[in-house]
Amino acid sequence: MSLSASVRATALHPEFRRGARDMLQVSFGVAAWGLVTGVSMVKSGLAPPLAALMSLLVFAGSAQLATMPLIASGAPMWVIWATATCVNLRFVIFSAMWRPYFARLPRWRRCLIGYFSGDLNYVIFMKRFPDPTPSPAHEPYYWGGVATNWSSWHGSSLGGIALANVVPVEWGLGFAGVLALLGIACSLLQDRATWLSGGTAASAAVAAYALPLKLNILVAIAAAVAVGLGIEAAEGAQRRARQRAEGARR
C-alpha cells in the first residue's frame, strides 16, 4: 500500500475519529499550555522565528518551559541539556509501554509516533486499549488523538509567539499556564505510586527552591523517580511473596 493510500485509510478509519473526539476533551488545557509556552519563549528573549522553530522541532512544552529561564539566564549548556533530559525521561516509559502496540511497524513509523507522542496521548490511548493484544484499531486511534493534540498545541503556541509582544503581562498568563499544567498533571495521577511520586516531586521542588539555575527541578525529578522505583520494587516483592505463599498452600 502506498503512503498516500495508507494515510487515507487511517484518516477514514472509525477509530481515527474516536481518537480525535476523545482528545478533544482535554484540548482546551493543551491549548492554554501552548499559548503560555509560546508567550514565555518570546518574553524570555528568544526571537520569534527561533521560538517557532523550537516549538515545531522540540514539541515538548514542559521541557521548553523548564529550559527557557535557563537559556535566558545564560546557564551552562550541560544544565540546560540535563534539565530537558530529566523532564522528558517519562517518554522512555511511554515508549516502553507503547512497544507491544506498535513494535510490528517499520522503524520510520515508530520514530514518527515517538515524535508526536504526548502525555495525554498516552493516558487516553491506554484507557481505550488497556490490552496490548495487536489490533488494526491501535494506529488509527493514536493518529486521531495526535491530530487534535498537535493542532491544539501548535495553533496556540504559534499564536502566543506571534502575539507575545502585544499580550499584557497583567493578563496573568503565567498563572493560567500553571492551572493548565496542574490539570494535565492531575490527569496522570492514577494510582498510589503516581500520587506518591507526584507529591514527592512537589515537596522536593519547594524544599530545593533556593538552588540556583532552577536545579530544584532536577532534585524534584530525581526524588520522584527514586520514590516511584522504590514503590514498584516493593509492590513487585509483595506480588512474588503472595505467589510463593499461594504455591506453598497448593
Side-chain angles (χ1 to χ4, degrees):
M1 182 184 294
S2 66
L3 179 60
S4 60
S6 177
V7 171
R8 189 180 307 108
T10 298
L12 294 176
H13 197 285
E15 287 294 332
F16 182 92
R17 294 189 293 274
R18 178 166 182 171
R21 287 196 306 269
D22 289 350
M23 186 60 67
L24 191 63
Q25 301 172 13
V26 295
S27 62
F28 294 106
V30 172
W33 188 9
L35 177 65
V36 170
T37 303
V39 172
S40 297
M41 286 192 291
V42 177
K43 294 289 189 183
S44 297
L46 199 64
L50 289 178
L53 184 64
M54 184 179 186
S55 180
L56 291 169
L57 293 181
V58 177
F59 188 37
S62 54
Q64 291 169 233
L65 286 173
T67 56
M68 281 312 304
L70 301 177
I71 295 173
S73 64
M77 186 60 69
W78 73 267
V79 174
I80 297 172
W81 278 103
T83 301
T85 300
C86 289
V87 169
N88 280 341
L89 277 177
R90 66 193 187 281
F91 286 101
V92 177
I93 300 174
F94 295 167
S95 298
M97 297 299 293
W98 260 321
R99 180 175 174 77
Y101 297 89
F102 300 125
R104 70 186 187 282
L105 299 177
R107 180 176 297 175
W108 70 269
R109 282 168 68 178
R110 282 181 278 136
C111 289
L112 201 61
I113 286 173
Y115 165 75
F116 284 103
S117 65
D119 302 90
L120 297 179
N121 290 89
Y122 171 78
V123 172
I124 292 176
F125 183 94
M126 290 302 173
K127 286 182 179 179
R128 174 71 181 93
F129 298 109
D131 183 4
T133 303
S135 169
H138 291 163
E139 198 175 4
Y141 184 87
Y142 175 85
W143 288 116
V146 164
T148 300
N149 186 60
W150 193 89
S151 58
S152 297
W153 170 265
H154 283 301
S156 59
S157 179
L158 295 177
I161 292 169
L163 300 174
N165 291 323
V166 298
V167 173
V169 177
E170 293 78 12
W171 283 12
L173 288 180
F175 182 66
V178 171
L179 292 179
L181 286 172
L182 184 61
I184 291 172
C186 288
S187 70
L188 300 175
L189 304 178
Q190 300 176 341
D191 51 31
R192 183 180 65 174
T194 53
W195 274 102
L196 288 176
S197 298
T200 300
S203 301
V206 173
Y209 184 77
L211 290 177
L213 301 176
K214 302 290 185 180
L215 289 177
N216 61 318
I217 297 175
L218 299 184
V219 172
I221 293 170
V225 169
V227 169
L229 291 176
I231 293 173
E232 184 178 356
E235 290 177 346
Q238 290 177 355
R239 285 195 299 269
R240 290 190 294 270
R242 285 196 298 268
Q243 291 171 355
R244 286 195 297 268
E246 292 174 358
R249 285 196 298 269
R250 293 174 184 172

